[in-house]
Amino acid sequence: MSEILTIADLKDLARRKVPKMFFDYADSGAWTESTYRANEEDFGKIKFRQRVLVDMSNRSLESTMIGQKVAMPVALAPTGLTGMQHADGEMLAAQAAEAFGVPFTLSTMSICSIEDVASVTKNPFWFQLYVMRDKDFVFNLIDRAKAAKCSALVLTLDLQILGQRHKDIRNGLSAPPKLTLKNMLDMAIRPRWCMGMAGTQRRTFRNIVGHAKGVGDLSSLSSWTSEQFDPQLSWKDVAWIKERWGGKLILKGILDKEDALKAAETGADAIVVSNHGGRQLDGAASSISVLEEIADTVGDRIEVHMDGGIRSGQDVLKALCLGAKGTYIGRPFLYGLGAMGKEGVTKALEIIYKEMDITLALCGKRLVTDVSKDLLRR
Ligand SMILES: Cc1cc2nc3c(=O)[nH]c(=O)nc-3n(C[C@H](O)[C@H](O)[C@H](O)COP(=O)(O)O)c2cc1C
């Protein structure tokens, strides 16, 4: 490929560089994938107002998310198994985000551990928590995130039970991959990925192995995770998690205004309007289609963020216009990582930055913090 100009270019390259099992893991939604598709498609239905002859000099995309300064209001979303898109993926993505000046969020289900990421970054990153039945493990995870000086805890609310993604079942997804003939052939044609993996020790869920009771090896890990997500998690649990954590708290996975109102009552610092990238409830609304209603309902009480389907700087701007103070990208940075490692994550951020900057100017604005519904044709 001659030049990488779009997130779609990074996706094409990642498809060639990353073993099918892990590329598919990123590029999949639950069941029919209708919500996964709608997340992207619904952005296309929103149109900007073109404005002319306004001063476009001295533009800035700088903003804040939960009070933290960001080079642009785009954080890297927590994604599981990121270290399988590229060796040491979470460490590389965190470094790229740090250099760019945007937040990186480490997933509970990451390959590199909290401590691994802390060892290669100077600025605090964010940690995403899944609440497991094993509460000692959860207490310990929160304490480890505190010890690593994470500056926000992102509590995911929409995965008490796992949505079914057909591709993962068909591919026999596991980390590390099982050495079947099919997998070995698939990996053999991706020598760079294999060399990277051969050169790192980080090939399984390092936040969990060695920390959770009864998880010493990989075979017990798969049964542990399938049994461990807590189906009884409730709004009451948010209170003890908030208290134990004691820092900035973000509630991720809100898609309904009734839930947004409950979330605002918890005293959390922000919510993320999200359907988990279309990976949980297939048939749920796209994130962008419900953002405005939710922001109008609770935006004066709690900071509203959104994710799902952002593939360009234009998409980010549309979300900001409809009431989001910040956004997150999942697949765009994963494709960058799979395509070109750390450089690819930087490339994804640069593409989005440039698209946002030009769009802002052509809509007649200089500051990203100045945008509102006014920029959109209604
Ligand atoms: C491969 C993959 C793994 C994910 N793993 C997690 C996770 O471990 N925790 C979590 O809260 N969200 C997870 N998500 C959801 C993302 O945080 C985010 O909500 C979603 O990716 C946003 O949509 P986008 O990929 O279209 O940007 C994952 C998403 C993807 C694509």
Side-chain angles (χ1 to χ4, degrees):
M1 181 169 299
S2 54
E3 233 178 321
I4 304 271
L5 299 175
T6 64
I7 298 299
D9 292 341
L10 287 171
K11 181 174 181 179
D12 287 344
L13 194 55
R15 194 192 301 274
R16 282 185 268 146
K17 301 271 179 171
V18 179
K20 180 172 164 42
M21 173 187 298
F22 299 116
F23 177 82
D24 280 356
Y25 170 65
D27 183 26
S28 59
W31 286 328
T32 70
E33 303 192 334
S34 70
T35 298
Y36 176 28
R37 284 191 301 278
N39 273 350
E40 294 181 22
E41 286 165 6
D42 286 355
F43 274 108
K45 297 175 187 159
I46 302 168
K47 303 294 172 201
F48 291 110
R49 288 173 65 200
Q50 170 179 304
R51 304 300 305 277
V52 296
L53 299 187
V54 287
D55 183 2
M56 294 176 181
S57 57
N58 299 321
R59 296 188 303 280
S60 170
L61 300 187
E62 264 183 30
S63 186
T64 57
M65 286 172 78
I66 54 163
Q68 297 178 22
K69 211 168 145 194
V70 290
M72 62 176 172
V74 180
L76 301 196
T79 54
L81 279 84
T82 302
M84 284 289 133
Q85 303 292 336
H86 188 287
D88 299 335
E90 292 90 354
M91 292 156 76
L92 300 181
Q95 287 178 320
E98 176 172 61
F100 205 92
V102 295
F104 170 79
T105 319
L106 183 73
S107 164
T108 292
M109 301 307 293
S110 56
I111 300 294
C112 303
S113 66
I114 299 174
E115 294 77 14
D116 289 331
V117 174
S119 73
V120 295
T121 50
K122 288 190 204 75
N123 295 337
F125 56 97
W126 296 355
F127 180 68
Q128 175 265 326
L129 182 71
Y130 278 133
V131 180
M132 310 292 191
R133 290 180 208 250
D134 178 350
K135 291 296 172 292
D136 286 341
F137 171 71
V138 176
F139 295 153
N140 186 249
L141 260 185
I142 295 174
D143 296 347
R144 286 167 62 200
K146 262 202 232 180
K149 304 208 164 29
C150 291
S151 56
L153 188 73
V154 178
L155 176 63
T156 297
L157 309 177
D158 61 2
L159 203 138
Q160 284 167 264
I161 158 175
L162 195 67
Q164 180 167 317
R165 302 145 203 169
H166 296 323
K167 288 176 198 158
D168 293 348
I169 296 173
R170 295 201 169 106
N171 289 330
L173 176 75
S174 67
K178 294 193 181 67
L179 293 181
T180 61
L181 183 62
K182 189 173 149 213
N183 288 344
M184 285 199 289
L185 288 174
D186 193 53
M187 289 189 276
I189 55 171
R190 287 154 175 116
R192 275 217 208 131
W193 183 92
C194 294
M195 274 161 52
M197 286 299 166
T200 182
Q201 298 296 312
R202 302 178 187 93
R203 291 190 287 258
T204 190
F205 301 94
R206 286 167 62 91
N207 280 331
I208 299 171
V209 173
H211 295 280
K213 277 190 285 285
V215 185
D217 70 6
L218 302 177
S219 52
S220 58
L221 178 68
S222 59
S223 53
W224 185 83
T225 44
S226 62
E227 288 161 14
Q228 269 297 325
F229 288 102
D230 185 354
Q232 292 187 321
L233 186 70
S234 75
W235 286 104
K236 284 199 274 289
D237 293 299
V238 177
W240 68 255
I241 292 166
K242 185 169 184 291
E243 191 180 323
R244 177 133 195 153
W245 166 245
K248 298 269 181 181
L249 179 68
I250 301 174
L251 302 180
K252 175 174 183 282
I254 303 283
L255 211 61
D256 190 282
K257 67 177 179 188
E258 300 295 328
D259 286 341
L261 284 165
K262 288 194 176 125
E265 277 165 26
T266 65
D269 297 275
I271 56 168
V272 189
V273 175
S274 172
N275 51 34
H276 216 101
R279 300 163 73 80
Q280 285 293 99
L281 178 62
D282 188 34
S286 67
S287 305
I288 192 66
S289 69
V290 296
L291 171 64
E292 183 177 12
E293 182 182 51
I294 292 178
D296 286 350
T297 308
V298 297
D300 55 347
R301 267 169 278 176
I302 189 166
E303 196 166 302
V304 176
H305 299 170
M306 78 79 68
D307 74 18
I310 291 174
R311 299 293 176 268
S312 71
Q314 293 215 324
D315 295 343
V316 174
L317 216 52
K318 288 172 182 174
L320 300 180
C321 290
L322 291 173
K325 173 95 170 114
T327 64
Y328 300 71
I329 49 169
R331 295 172 183 94
F333 98 81
L334 292 178
Y335 297 146
L337 182 69
M340 298 155 60
K342 181 157 95 177
E343 206 191 319
V345 178
T346 304
K347 189 82 193 168
L349 290 168
E350 283 170 355
I351 289 170
I352 286 176
Y353 187 95
K354 190 170 176 194
E355 290 167 340
M356 212 195 314
D357 178 50
I358 294 175
T359 308
L360 188 70
L362 293 175
C363 288
K365 288 280 177 196
R366 291 168 43 234
L367 304 178
V368 83
T369 46
D370 248 10
V371 305
S372 66
K373 291 176 196 173
D374 268 6
L375 258 65
L376 305 177
R377 280 186 61 85
R378 320 264 18 235

